[in-house]
Amino acid sequence: MDLLEVPAWDCELPAVEYPAFQTGKPCKKQKSRTQDGHQAGGKDRPGSAGGQPHPAAGGATDPEIEAQLAKHHTSRRKEGSGLLEQMRARLSGGHFRWLNEQLYTTTGDAALEFMTQNPSHFNEYHKGFRQQTSSWPARPLDAAIARLKQLPASYKVADFGCGDAELAASVPQHVSSFDLVATAPGVIACNMAHVPLGDHSVDVAVFCLALMGTDYPSFLMEAQRVLRLGGFLWIAEVSSRFQSDQGQTAAASTRSNAAGKFVKALQISGFKLRSTDARNKMFVVWELLKAKQGASFPNTSAWPALRACTYKKR
């Protein structure tokens, strides 16, 4: 006999009949468990491998379950996406406030060098600026556009600190646009204390939230140079920069020592005050005329040290 042969292994055994099982319903004597460890019997757990739930039991059908799961996953994705956007917004807001601080606490030459070396910061700054000022009741730029539309279309305008040159695209006059970085056609990148315009060559000089930097009086000196006699100087600035106390209203800020000193320095520089508009709670507008040609420009001590414009965290 072969070592692997066992007597009677090749005998024929009688056939045995096993009880039939219904699909998804084990016999009562043999309580089976599904692969995931849940007891099978009676009706299957929705979504398990045992099959469809029994319709009479009121269970959800597979399409309904899939729809609920899809809705759940979509909701979770939206929650995650919303949280990610909030984090990005906070990072962007923090970066904007840092850039804003740099521009308000440095000179025009230093700001030009900084933005020339990092031009992407300029776009990031203006993106943050638009977000921060989106809740303002009105934009100072819209006030500048409205005023220029009241003046002759033949006038020549110099826009100091033009941003993306929206002013030039919105008024009938020819506008020379200047800023630290050229982000739009026609914009000239330069320090606003040295713009490439001839003496007495423009009718209007616009500063729309553009008196940034510790040497801002040099920008106004340049405006005095390029303006013709009788030309307009239009200035819009955040009112808080002239406040003597935190929370002071825009109207009160125009009566502060800083505002008075600011206007007086402009008058010494050959300008005559035509109007002051403090109706908007966020900014104040001054309009002046160039009344003297070649007026002596006051020294630095005659100008107030304006407060840096700060923005709240959002």
Side-chain angles (χ1 to χ4, degrees), residues 45-207:
R45 182 176 58 86
S48 68
Q52 298 288 342
H54 198 286
T61 62
D62 282 348
E64 291 173 341
I65 295 171
E66 291 176 0
Q68 291 173 7
L69 289 173
K71 183 178 180 180
H72 172 72
H73 291 314
T74 300
S75 176
R76 293 296 298 273
R77 282 196 297 269
K78 287 182 178 180
E79 290 176 4
S81 177
L83 180 61
L84 184 60
E85 288 303 317
Q86 289 179 10
M87 294 176 65
R88 286 174 177 168
R90 288 183 180 180
L91 288 172
S92 177
H95 193 209
F96 163 75
R97 286 187 290 275
W98 177 78
L99 290 171
N100 186 69
E101 182 181 357
Q102 304 308 306
L103 294 174
Y104 273 100
T105 58
T106 191
T107 64
D109 280 336
L112 178 63
E113 181 180 2
F114 173 72
M115 286 298 182
T116 300
Q117 294 176 353
N118 307 276
S120 63
H121 287 341
F122 190 79
N123 291 327
E124 292 170 4
Y125 170 80
H126 280 280
K127 179 182 178 181
F129 174 79
R130 286 190 292 270
Q131 292 174 342
Q132 292 286 336
T133 58
S134 60
S135 61
W136 286 18
R139 297 191 310 162
L141 181 61
D142 291 331
I145 292 170
R147 182 66 182 107
L148 286 175
K149 287 183 176 180
Q150 297 172 349
L151 299 176
S154 60
Y155 273 14
K156 295 179 180 179
V157 181
D159 186 5
F160 289 77
C162 66
D164 57 3
E166 184 179 348
L167 182 70
S170 306
V171 298
Q173 293 89 357
H174 172 77
V175 180
S176 298
S177 304
F178 307 103
D179 215 320
L180 298 173
V181 177
T183 59
V187 177
I188 298 175
C190 64
N191 179 354
M192 289 183 295
H194 309 287
V195 299
L197 292 175
D199 295 350
H200 326 308
S201 59
V202 300
D203 302 284
V204 185
V206 174
F207 288 85

Side-chain angles (χ1 to χ4, degrees), residues 16-28:
V16 180
E17 293 185 2
Y18 293 93
F21 289 89
Q22 296 181 3
T23 304
K25 187 175 182 181
C27 65
K28 294 182 179 179

Side-chain angles (χ1 to χ4, degrees), residues 261-297:
K261 192 174 183 180
F262 179 73
V263 172
K264 185 176 180 180
L266 286 168
Q267 290 171 332
I268 295 173
S269 304
F271 292 101
K272 179 181 179 180
L273 181 65
R274 291 189 75 249
S275 64
T276 301
D277 186 353
R279 291 174 296 174
N280 190 286
K281 67 178 182 179
M282 304 304 298
F283 60 89
V284 59
V285 174
W286 285 283
E287 187 173 305
L288 305 99
L289 284 177
K290 181 177 176 178
K292 293 181 182 179
Q293 197 78 276
S296 58
F297 208 75

Side-chain angles (χ1 to χ4, degrees), residues 26-49:
C27 65
K28 294 182 179 179
K29 293 183 179 179
Q30 181 73 24
K31 290 187 177 180
S32 64
R33 290 186 175 271
T34 60
Q35 292 181 354
D36 59 1
H38 288 77
Q39 181 174 307
K43 64 177 181 178
D44 290 323
R45 182 176 58 86
S48 68

